[in-house]
Amino acid sequence: MAQRLDDLIRQGIRHIATFVPWQAVESDITHTLPRFLQAVSERKLTVSLILTPELGIHYPYSGLPKDIFSTPENAAAHEGGGPIPVLQPPNSFALPSLTAPEVVKRYHNFLSRMDSLLAELGKNQPGLLEGVTAVLGGGFWKYYRDPARLGRRALSGLAGDFSVGSQLAFRQRLDQTFASREFQDPSPAAAQRWKSRSLENVNRRWFAQQNEEVFRNRSSQFLRKKAFGLQVRQFEIYTPEADPSFLYSRLLESACSGRPDFRRLTDLVKEASKRASFAGGVATAPYIHWTKLGSFRSLGDAEKQFLIFQSLLVCGAQGGGVLLDEAEWFALSPAFRARAEALSRQIGQGNFRLRTDAYFLTPHLWSGPGEIWEEISLKAGPHARISASIERIAADASAKLVLVDPSFVLTRDVIQRLLALARGGKIVALPRSPLYTDAARRELGDALGSDQSIEVQMGVACRCEPLGRGQWVLYDVPEPESNGEFPASALKALVAGLMNLAQLRPVANVSDDRLRVIPLDKKKGG
């Protein structure tokens, strides 16, 4: 271990990010981890310990305890009811459910053990934890999708755990949520419409988002109970090679000794970088993880370099970056590494950033958001983000436009926070949909209704009204066509009209879809 660390230092490495396999913590980590942290501290290196279960870890079953898979009740299920396979070497396996009682109990025990271990190290060796950061990610939620229903669109389909235990929890959560006064207004019978079958997918997305937020919040609670001086950061870690939409490409690659689907990987990076999450009271840092055991290793050097640069630009310029195995990194040419390191330093010093112009507010971050998002993503390019968190949007001063998904449930609290965004200077566009509670409609009625409102056509009928330093827009949801999708012409006109209202213009237009243009803002302008 010591010699390997010395080799890394000689090659210019000063910070190490490493996954802590859950499986290892339940065996010999009390010996291995302290020795590693001691060696790192002696060499004045800093280290990030990624504690949440993530895919692509170079460990059997991505670091998960093997016996977790022996209980059928622990398995997650996609919307079609089947298991969710992972073909990440060195093992293929099906994802466990992060809501299964046994899995949750074991995971929390793992975090408690890590907290106790780090607290003891900090007590016995003061200063040892100064260069250590515990990292919490989003876990497996983004991969809970049906491979057979994803088609060619990156990060599409309904995401969520449909296992028997999760289904039961979903029904219980519905009863608890819709028993509140707001959903029983004006009478208890009003709650029944929110439980109707027509709103099943709406409620599923809402439930899936709540599950992920509970997972993140409880993970944070189990750290720093004893290790008071420990730094904790929230990451959003995504491994494109493990995405369910890449499954069949991976099967063909393995069966036919073919090459990886490079285009699919670039699309996955592009879409994942546009997901903006929020946890622990802060915006999470987006990271793309490339493994040395998956499809990435089979790519040519030029393709690897493209993916690394793309990941660095779209994630690093948002405060995140790239997680890459050191063997893959040092296998690349010295000239490329020098260019990537120089760019990383510039980004790390804040000289370049990727701003956000427009947000699409969705009920669930990892479910396919539909055609309206696709249109705004196309028009705003890398400057568009999708988020399920109003707090994340409120914390971003650069965004000028907020477009709300027609499937978003609008409560009184949501309306109040969106009104605050508009008064603060943003253009906020809401659908005229049936998904308003009565309290939300009253709140909206009290806030609007000035004689300055106007009705305009932007592909669909819209009502625009100035509000504080911003604008409030209510838009009609287009009628779906026979294929279930909204008419493209109406969506194009709606998004173009809203972007004009927000005075947003694309920095560059590209006619060749093989190109990725990522405009960054310079620190001193331009």
Side-chain angles (χ1 to χ4, degrees):
M1 181 191 302
Q3 182 179 351
R4 185 62 185 139
L5 289 175
D6 290 338
D7 289 342
L8 292 175
I9 291 171
R10 279 192 291 271
Q11 299 191 67
I13 302 298
R14 303 303 307 173
H15 181 84
I16 299 170
T18 182
F19 295 94
V20 179
W22 177 356
Q23 187 183 135
V25 172
E26 296 189 344
S27 55
D28 73 339
I29 198 70
T30 53
H31 303 292
T32 306
L33 183 59
R35 291 203 310 270
F36 170 69
L37 293 179
Q38 180 67 48
V40 165
S41 178
E42 290 171 353
R43 289 159 178 79
K44 306 297 187 217
L45 296 171
T46 56
V47 62
S48 294
L49 301 177
I50 303 170
L51 303 183
T52 37
E54 302 286 347
L55 294 181
I57 299 176
H58 308 155
Y59 214 83
Y61 305 101
S62 281
L64 293 167
K66 184 178 179 181
D67 59 321
I68 274 182
F69 304 106
S70 63
T71 306
E73 289 79 10
N74 289 343
H78 54 62
E79 63 172 317
I84 304 165
V86 177
L87 299 183
Q88 282 296 103
N91 306 90
S92 60
F93 58 95
L95 282 178
S97 169
L98 292 178
T99 59
E102 180 186 351
V103 177
V104 172
K105 181 179 178 181
R106 290 274 294 277
Y107 172 58
H108 289 166
N109 286 341
F110 152 68
L111 290 178
S112 294
R113 187 170 178 179
M114 284 296 304
D115 182 48
S116 298
L117 175 61
L118 293 170
E120 185 176 352
L121 289 173
K123 179 180 178 182
N124 295 336
Q125 302 179 62
L128 184 67
L129 299 184
E130 287 181 1
V132 177
T133 300
V135 171
L136 298 175
F140 303 142
W141 303 103
K142 58 184 71 68
Y143 307 105
Y144 287 159
R145 306 199 311 281
D146 183 356
R149 303 189 185 195
L150 297 181
R152 294 298 301 174
R153 291 175 177 172
L155 293 178
S156 59
L158 177 62
D161 181 8
F162 287 74
S163 61
V164 173
S166 187
Q167 297 268 43
L168 179 60
F170 169 61
R171 297 301 169 192
Q172 292 172 341
R173 185 78 59 80
L174 284 188
D175 289 339
Q176 293 169 359
T177 300
F178 298 137
S180 67
R181 179 177 299 177
E182 180 157 7
F183 290 99
Q184 295 195 354
D185 184 13
S187 70
Q192 294 306 311
R193 83 173 180 93
W194 293 100
K195 298 181 185 180
S196 67
R197 187 170 295 275
S198 63
L199 296 181
E200 182 82 1
N201 280 354
V202 169
N203 290 329
R204 283 285 179 191
R205 286 171 164 81
W206 198 7
F207 174 69
Q209 187 63 37
Q210 289 177 347
N211 274 345
E212 183 173 348
E213 290 169 3
V214 167
F215 171 81
R216 281 187 179 272
N217 292 337
R218 289 184 179 170
S219 295
S220 298
Q221 291 168 6
F222 280 88
L223 291 177
R224 288 191 295 198
K225 282 186 175 181
K226 299 178 181 178
F228 301 114
L230 182 66
Q231 299 181 68
V232 179
R233 287 194 66 195
Q234 294 281 352
F235 283 11
E236 193 64 73
I237 300 171
Y238 176 68
T239 305
E241 302 155 88
D243 193 90
S245 68
F246 200 66
L247 176 69
Y248 294 120
S249 296
R250 186 81 179 93
L251 284 170
L252 288 171
E253 176 192 343
S254 302
C256 306
S257 300
R259 292 184 57 75
D261 188 345
F262 171 69
R263 176 59 183 268
R264 170 57 63 97
L265 291 174
T266 67
D267 286 345
L268 288 169
V269 171
K270 180 182 73 171
E271 286 302 312
S273 70
K274 293 185 176 185
R275 264 63 182 175
S277 54
F278 192 85
V282 296
T284 59
Y287 279 81
I288 299 295
H289 173 216
W290 297 110
T291 78
K292 73 172 182 181
L293 298 176
S295 298
F296 182 79
R297 66 172 180 168
S298 303
L299 294 169
D301 281 356
E303 293 168 323
K304 289 179 181 178
Q305 292 172 15
F306 183 101
L307 289 170
I308 291 170
F309 260 136
Q310 182 191 10
S311 305
L312 177 61
L313 289 168
V314 296
C315 293
Q318 294 185 68
V322 185
L323 296 172
L324 186 69
D325 187 87
E326 74 271 15
E328 288 290 345
W329 174 246
F330 289 117
L332 297 167
S333 71
F336 169 77
R337 297 205 311 270
R339 289 198 302 273
E341 287 171 352
L343 179 60
S344 297
R345 282 193 295 272
Q346 291 291 325
I347 291 174
Q349 293 166 5
N351 294 328
F352 299 110
R353 72 181 186 95
L354 182 61
R355 75 174 187 276
T356 302
D357 285 342
Y359 274 102
F360 186 72
L361 182 61
T362 182
H364 184 214
L365 189 64
W366 297 105
S367 288
E371 309 97 283
I372 296 180
W373 160 249
E374 290 172 11
E375 183 61 27
I376 198 166
S377 178
L378 179 65
K379 286 281 190 280
H383 299 307
R385 299 279 173 276
I386 181 171
S387 183
S389 168
I390 300 177
E391 292 90 343
R392 171 63 189 255
I393 299 172
D396 194 336
S398 67
K400 297 179 180 178
L401 173 64
V402 181
L403 180 55
V404 180
D405 190 328
S407 64
F408 202 96
V409 175
L410 295 157
T411 63
R412 180 171 179 268
D413 177 65
V414 169
I415 292 296
Q416 287 176 337
R417 289 190 284 169
L418 290 174
L419 287 167
L421 292 181
R423 292 186 179 109
K426 300 186 189 305
I427 307 297
V428 178
L430 275 79
R432 287 174 170 137
S433 78
L435 300 182
Y436 291 75
T437 64
D438 278 25
R441 292 190 187 281
R442 288 195 295 271
E443 186 72 28
L444 200 56
D446 291 342
L448 302 181
S450 73
D451 56 7
Q452 298 182 55
S453 66
I454 58 171
E455 293 285 340
V456 297
Q457 278 290 327
M458 292 190 288
V460 294
C462 299
R463 175 187 169 188
C464 303
E465 183 171 333
L467 195 65
R469 292 187 290 111
Q471 288 271 346
W472 191 266
V473 180
L474 289 173
Y475 68 89
D476 282 350
V477 180
E479 286 293 327
E481 297 180 323
S482 57
N483 60 4
E485 296 184 351
F486 295 137
S489 58
L491 295 188
K492 288 179 184 294
L494 174 62
V495 170
L498 291 173
M499 290 188 66
N500 285 334
L501 192 61
Q503 298 183 346
L504 296 178
R505 301 286 185 275
V507 176
N509 292 310
V510 181
S511 58
D512 189 334
D513 65 1
R514 294 173 298 176
L515 300 179
R516 294 279 186 264
V517 176
I518 305 166
L520 303 181
D521 287 356
K522 295 167 69 176
K523 188 175 184 178
K524 297 182 179 179

